[in-house]
Amino acid sequence: MNKKLLSGTAASVLALGLLAGCGGNNSNNTSSPSPSASGSAPASSSASASPSASASGEPVNLRLYTWGTEEQYNWNHTVSAYEESHPGITVEVVTLSDKGDTQESMKKLDLAAASNETMDVIMFSDPSGYAARVALGMAAPLDDFIAADGYKVEEDYKVDTHLNGKVYALPGKFNPWYVLLNKDMLDAAGLSVPTDWTWDEFADYAKQLTKGDGADKVYGTYFHGPQAGGWMEYLKLMIENQPTNSDYLKQDGSSNLDDPNFRKTIELRVKMEKEDKSSTPYEDMISQKLAYRTQFFNQKAAMLPIGSWMNTEIGGTETVPLTFHVAVAPFPKNNASDPTGYTPVTTDYVAVAESSKHKQEAYDFIRWYTTEGQLVQGKNVPSWNQITGDQLEPIIDTILSGTKNPELVDKKSLVDTLTVSKASAIITPASYQSEVYKAVNEEYEKLILGNQDIDTMIANSQKRVQEIIDSNKK
């Protein structure tokens, strides 16, 4: 895909449709045909006109376009609470996929925009989709509204949503990466649950937790990637826990592979697998098509770095039951003096549509929704920094209550970890990001399978990534 934006709305929407078809889907739902978008939360009949409803004093109806379903986001209850506290405002939720499928939803959103449908609030599910549609002018800048309210996004939220120096969305839910721990194994080894640790300490824990041989062997940890250009979080462990430049490309589009922490990540992975023999062999992961859930819940690995979408499964499910005690630790940092909590994060980017005729009211809604509204919704961990551990606990209780054995989960360690976790600054994804991921993955695979050394792997990765960057500048 050419780096330059396609001209014209229709061409832009077509390009984004193709992009969405190539992208990932964090909800793990599969795309399927569905009816056209329809409102899943009808306007409250109790809402009435109010002088505060708009500048003109007329009632205002806001149309919210989202991929999230009623089951996932509790929209009816959330919208009713907002309408009750904001007389004269109604919120119509337009659900773009009845399965909560993000790819399907973004395609429908693009078509809705091309058809000039009335939209006021838009939710994007990933930074790539957010950045691409901001570039097309779909979202309005929020900086003036934020300045009038007197806060800074990077201070008030755990996710910094700035793009090219401006803010076009506020973050909703907060899904950071963390480390799942088999607490029974830690107890047997005399190890405490970490609340602040480094990758060196993580590697030491993994070494102490590794035991047995052959089919009975238990590894200290399991890394579910990289594979086929995906799950690349596992190959930038000591880059992605940094406040800025947390990916293979920098914000200006130049290569970040000369960062010493990229080499340190590769060295860590090789040491743990080849020397300490404390991580599940890469070859086994690929050849046996191992799954991270079963590796952890079947007690084949004592620790699992993974995303907190696992909150809904951490207490065990019908298909993958829990038979031991689980605890949670923050994503490790590089040095003891580094700030705690930086980790890969997924969130919802909630924006005001540029085409909205009610931008102030739309902004007021998304500010409420991404703060107090997250507590009202009660479905996800919020990105809002003002949420305390005490306020977070009821949300975690609700999430854990949906699992089979919530009593086996060390809730305090989970709440504490989620409280300290925070995201790095967004790096606008390049249109050729997948090519970069694939190249680095291929060079790592040659290394870990014994076909080249670390120096060669680093040099080849740098060379290939620079060639990809150069070819996309033409």
Side-chain angles (χ1 to χ4, degrees), residues 77-89:
H77 174 70
T78 307
V79 165
S80 293
Y82 187 75
E83 292 175 342
E84 185 176 345
S85 61
H86 294 75
I89 304 292

Side-chain angles (χ1 to χ4, degrees), residues 366-389:
I366 71 171
R367 174 60 172 165
W368 175 87
Y369 172 72
T370 59
T371 55
E372 301 166 45
Q374 291 293 290
L375 295 175
V376 172
Q377 196 169 57
K379 281 288 190 177
N380 297 295
V381 175
S383 291
W384 193 32
N385 264 329
Q386 303 306 313
I387 298 293
T388 64

Side-chain angles (χ1 to χ4, degrees), residues 53-94:
S54 69
S56 64
E58 295 297 321
V60 170
N61 180 67
L62 300 175
R63 303 192 82 215
L64 162 61
Y65 281 67
T66 177
W67 60 273
T69 64
E70 171 63 26
E71 182 181 7
Q72 291 170 311
Y73 281 84
N74 203 11
W75 286 122
N76 288 321
H77 174 70
T78 307
V79 165
S80 293
Y82 187 75
E83 292 175 342
E84 185 176 345
S85 61
H86 294 75
I89 304 292
T90 56
V91 181
E92 176 188 355
V93 180
V94 181

Side-chain angles (χ1 to χ4, degrees), residues 136-159:
L136 291 174
M138 195 179 290
L142 305 179
D143 303 84
D144 289 345
F145 298 115
I146 292 169
D149 274 357
Y151 68 93
K152 294 181 179 180
V153 169
E154 62 272 27
E155 295 176 356
D156 231 37
Y157 296 90
K158 294 176 181 291
V159 180

